[in-house]
Amino acid sequence: MSAFAVGKPESLRDAYGKALVALGEKDPELVVFDADLSGSTRTILFGQKFPDRFFNVGVMEPTMMTMAAGLALQGRTVYASTFAVFAAGQAYNAVRQSICYNQANVKIVATHGGLLVGADGGTHQIVEDIGLMRGLPGMTVIVPADAPTTRAATFAVADRYGPAYVRLTRENLPPVTDGSFAIGKAAELRSGSDLTMVAVGSLVARALEVAEDLQKVGVSTRVLDFASVKPFDAPALLRAARDTGAILVLEEHSVLTGVGALVASTTSENSPVPVRRVGVPDLFGESGEPWALLDRYGMSKERITEEAWELLKARGKVQ
Amino acid sequence: MAEEVPAELVRSLEGTAREVRKEVIRMTFAAQSGHPGGSLSVADILTTLVFHELRIDPARVDWPDRDRLVLSKGHASPAMYATLALRGFLPREELSTFRQLGSRLQGHVDRTKLPCIEASTGCLGQGIGMAVGMALDARLRKASYRTYAVIGDGECQAGPTWEALMAGGHYRLSNLVVILDRNGLETDGSTEAIMGIEPIVEKFRAFRYHTIDIDGHSIPALLDAFAEARRTTDGPTAIVARTVKGKGVSFMEGKHQYHGKAPNSAEAEQALAELSRGEGAPS
């Protein structure tokens, strides 16, 4: 059985906006930036409550990041939000130099990561951001799978000095965790001994669904929610490699540079086991119904199931 | 209106600026790399700021009310290090470590290594944005500190420079002063031949800056401009400081080739001799 019943989908962005308001009440120096998307990112909730500490700077994402750094270096915790394609893409070098190189205490909470942006199309569906952000020295990278983890992660990054990137999904997602998120820890959402699925974001719920189906035919699947991408829980990953002997990674991100690459390199250096990656191939996305896009680009339940069987065959657990 | 500027102060600052220029030559020669041209052009600006205009204290680099100086043209680091060393923020002997492995004096200024640096810069168009953030911080805190951003003219080709300037104008940050080291040259040649930034005074005015156009090598003009900026309370000030790249060293003046090229042994010797000859005489 799944450790947590899959419930009604909830907005990660609303969870973020509400958590920001709570943080603003606790920390009178906390400042929030947005770049003309405050209704979508939900920073508007903070802006309505604390207008003096909210700066909607318009369409100037690189300078939103440099201004945020300038304030943060005066001892403040600063949150900056926009869509992931602008936060990690448009503003990359400002994030790199003004925030990371300066060790500025700026928390970038980027919404609309991945293909689930849907109808806006490939220009706005960034599938490279996890790779870009986890490559930056000193950057913490979190990819919540649901609203409870979003809320917990919003608080957790405030408690840890330094730059952070939190990637949220536009679509509502069912709660799959109890919100007991901790930076650097993977959450074992389901125990298992034949195979491990390491999943982030929108694909954690799918991992749990496929694991449930596999159980019906006698395959025991461990599911790790790898929301803390950097720092990541190496002990939990290597334990899973040793215990189950095979790992399937699921991410709504390019397989070239994302969590799959992280898992494959870590296991291969420390505890080599077969690893397969489910994610976006080396392609840009396109317009479409969000969940249909996931299916089209190789992240359907069927595809996940096929990949699981390939791993089980490689391990000699099935013919 | 120009205020009465004490001649003694002017002479003192001019002498200090000459020392800064000599250190720029020594540092770039020793490192056999670095950016002498733009360091020599900005020397009078930085000297006037660090030795007169800024409310700073070498004994208290974390003083909350200190004025903030951001060198957005971070490649002029030799001039910055030399000025700060002469003012007592770091040992003068340390200047010889510039660009060496393990040094606090990075090729481009780095706050994490050298605490008297307010912001690590180097990639252009970013320091100015950080300075706007600092000025906003002061306003939110109702703090008295002022923020000074020194930008380059090649930097004025970068989009984010204008984003940041737009924000400073939008928020009417009267505690922000932007100084443009308008030496007219960038790595590959003349700014106006490569990608013209003129009419620059009109651009600053259009971005809602009280704009002052001065000779950036005139200490009295710099002192006047900073005083005028302090009197400006309805928005930010921009000072267009007209300068000469390589100022003070005859064979470097007006030569873009010395943007990022260190002097060789003979050149360094000649440069130091020229700068020493200037001692005691009004520039």
Side-chain angles (χ1 to χ4, degrees):
Chain A
M1 277 302 290
S2 166
F4 300 95
V6 172
K8 190 170 171 293
E10 299 169 347
S11 166
L12 278 61
R13 293 176 282 144
D14 275 338
Y16 165 55
K18 288 174 190 165
L20 263 189
V21 171
L23 279 171
E25 281 162 355
K26 203 174 87 179
D27 178 358
E29 296 210 334
L30 187 129
V31 167
V32 176
F33 277 85
D34 203 297
D36 194 35
L37 292 167
S38 63
S40 290
T41 65
R42 308 308 292 150
T43 60
I44 196 166
L45 298 175
F46 181 94
Q48 286 163 345
K49 191 82 186 279
F50 307 106
D52 294 347
R53 292 190 271 143
F54 178 67
F55 297 98
N56 186 343
V57 299
V59 187
M60 51 170 73
E61 294 85 4
T63 296
M64 171 172 76
M65 298 303 180
T66 60
M67 289 167 66
L71 276 150
L73 292 180
Q74 311 316 312
R76 294 177 189 274
T77 302
V78 182
Y79 281 70
S81 284
T82 179
F83 292 176
V85 69
F86 307 128
Q90 183 87 347
Y92 176 77
N93 199 31
V95 173
R96 178 182 181 274
Q97 176 178 284
S98 290
I99 296 177
C100 291
Y101 192 81
N102 271 282
Q103 298 173 13
N105 197 24
V106 178
K107 320 300 179 183
I108 300 163
V109 180
T111 69
H112 295 60
L115 294 179
L116 286 177
V117 168
D120 276 352
T123 52
H124 285 54
Q125 296 161 350
I126 192 166
V127 293
E128 317 93 73
D129 56 327
I130 295 173
L132 285 168
M133 293 295 108
R134 85 176 175 91
L136 287 170
M139 184 66 107
T140 295
V141 179
I142 312 292
V143 186
D146 62 7
T149 294
T150 300
R151 178 179 169 80
T154 303
F155 293 139
V157 294
D159 288 338
R160 178 188 172 94
Y161 183 88
Y165 180 80
V166 181
R167 185 211 216 200
L168 303 183
T169 300
R170 176 177 182 271
E171 287 296 290
N172 294 350
L173 297 175
V176 291
T177 74
D178 59 5
S180 60
F181 167 82
I183 292 173
K185 292 289 174 199
E188 187 176 301
L189 300 185
R190 183 184 179 103
S191 60
S193 53
D194 294 326
L195 167 73
T196 298
M197 291 187 188
V198 169
V200 292
S202 58
L203 293 185
V204 174
R206 280 196 175 183
L208 289 168
E209 288 172 32
V210 173
E212 186 69 24
D213 291 344
L214 287 171
Q215 187 68 56
K216 289 171 190 158
V217 292
V219 176
S220 164
T221 305
R222 184 178 302 185
V223 176
L224 295 181
D225 175 4
F226 227 59
S228 187
V229 172
K230 184 181 179 182
F232 69 95
D233 194 340
L237 178 62
L238 298 176
R239 203 162 48 241
R242 284 192 298 272
D243 292 352
T244 70
I247 298 179
L248 181 60
V249 185
L250 297 88
E251 59 184 325
E252 189 194 336
H253 186 275
S254 168
V255 295
L256 297 185
T257 62
V259 179
L262 166 68
V263 168
S265 56
T266 304
T267 54
S268 116
E269 283 177 355
N270 299 283
S271 185
V273 293
V275 172
R276 294 186 72 89
R277 295 165 297 163
V278 165
V280 183
D282 191 15
L283 291 170
F284 289 114
E286 62 184 293
S287 291
E289 193 279 319
W291 295 97
L293 277 166
L294 286 201
D295 294 346
R296 171 71 70 89
Y297 281 79
M299 290 157 280
S300 65
K301 278 178 66 177
E302 294 70 23
R303 175 68 189 281
I304 297 166
T305 306
E306 284 166 21
E307 292 289 336
W309 285 112
E310 285 300 318
L311 277 170
L312 291 165
K313 280 182 206 160
R315 291 290 295 147
K317 293 188 178 179
V318 293
Q319 291 300 308
Chain B
M1 202 176 87
E3 290 175 356
E4 197 61 36
V5 178
E8 195 178 330
L9 171 64
V10 174
R11 269 197 302 278
S12 164
L13 291 173
E14 285 172 349
T16 302
R18 263 192 299 278
E19 287 305 306
V20 168
R21 288 192 165 93
K22 284 196 246 175
E23 291 294 4
V24 166
I25 296 299
R26 292 190 190 108
M27 291 165 79
T28 52
F29 170 63
Q32 277 303 295
S33 71
H35 297 78
S39 295
L40 294 170
S41 67
V42 83
D44 299 301
I45 295 166
L46 290 181
T47 298
T48 307
L49 283 168
V50 169
F51 278 81
H52 183 78
E53 172 65 13
L54 297 180
R55 185 174 58 179
I56 48 177
D57 180 355
R60 291 185 291 164
V61 289
D62 55 357
W63 179 23
D65 282 332
R66 72 191 183 281
D67 287 337
R68 273 40 166 197
L69 170 61
V70 177
L71 184 69
S72 199
K73 48 172 287 183
H75 55 278
S77 55
M80 187 76 159
Y81 298 141
T83 313
L84 292 170
L86 292 173
R87 181 77 169 77
F89 282 92
L90 62 146
R92 198 161 171 176
E93 312 83 73
E94 193 176 347
L95 295 177
S96 64
T97 68
F98 175 56
R99 286 183 172 244
Q100 304 304 308
L101 192 62
S103 174
R104 298 195 298 172
L105 310 189
Q106 294 291 294
H108 297 81
V109 294
D110 187 333
R111 66 171 285 276
T112 65
K113 294 192 163 59
L114 191 63
C116 59
I117 298 296
E118 296 289 350
S120 308
T121 57
C123 297
L124 299 175
Q126 297 193 31
I128 174 70
M130 297 174 79
V132 170
M134 292 175 194
L136 278 175
D137 175 78
R139 171 180 288 182
L140 283 177
R141 288 184 199 283
K142 299 182 170 59
S144 60
Y145 77 79
R146 293 166 64 74
T147 301
Y148 297 78
V150 177
I151 67 173
D153 48 8
E155 188 170 17
C156 288
Q157 295 160 344
T161 297
W162 296 99
E163 293 181 3
L165 288 168
M166 185 183 289
H170 175 81
Y171 295 121
R172 312 304 298 144
L173 295 172
S174 56
N175 56 359
L176 174 69
V177 183
V178 177
I179 304 104
L180 169 62
D181 179 14
R182 180 67 171 120
N183 62 35
L185 298 173
E186 54 189 312
T187 307
D188 278 354
S190 151
T191 58
E192 296 317 283
I194 291 167
M195 184 53 67
I197 66 167
E198 294 291 345
I200 192 69
V201 168
E202 288 81 351
K203 283 192 175 76
F204 278 121
R205 290 198 173 128
F207 277 63
R208 309 171 75 184
Y209 284 67
H210 176 67
T211 306
I212 311 170
D213 192 355
I214 61 164
D215 171 358
H217 296 307
S218 163
I219 301 286
L222 284 163
L223 290 169
D224 271 352
F226 291 133
E228 187 172 326
R230 281 188 183 275
R231 291 193 300 269
T232 304
T233 54
D234 59 346
T237 296
I239 298 172
V240 176
R242 308 274 174 181
T243 59
V244 175
K245 197 143 186 162
K247 174 73 176 178
V249 176
S250 61
F251 59 89
M252 287 188 178
E253 287 192 359
K255 297 283 198 312
H256 70 86
Q257 289 85 352
Y258 287 96
H259 170 86
K261 180 176 156 246
N264 63 28
S265 173
E267 289 170 333
E269 201 173 321
Q270 186 189 336
L272 289 171
E274 286 183 15
L275 288 165
S276 295
R277 272 201 299 277
E279 275 166 359
S283 65

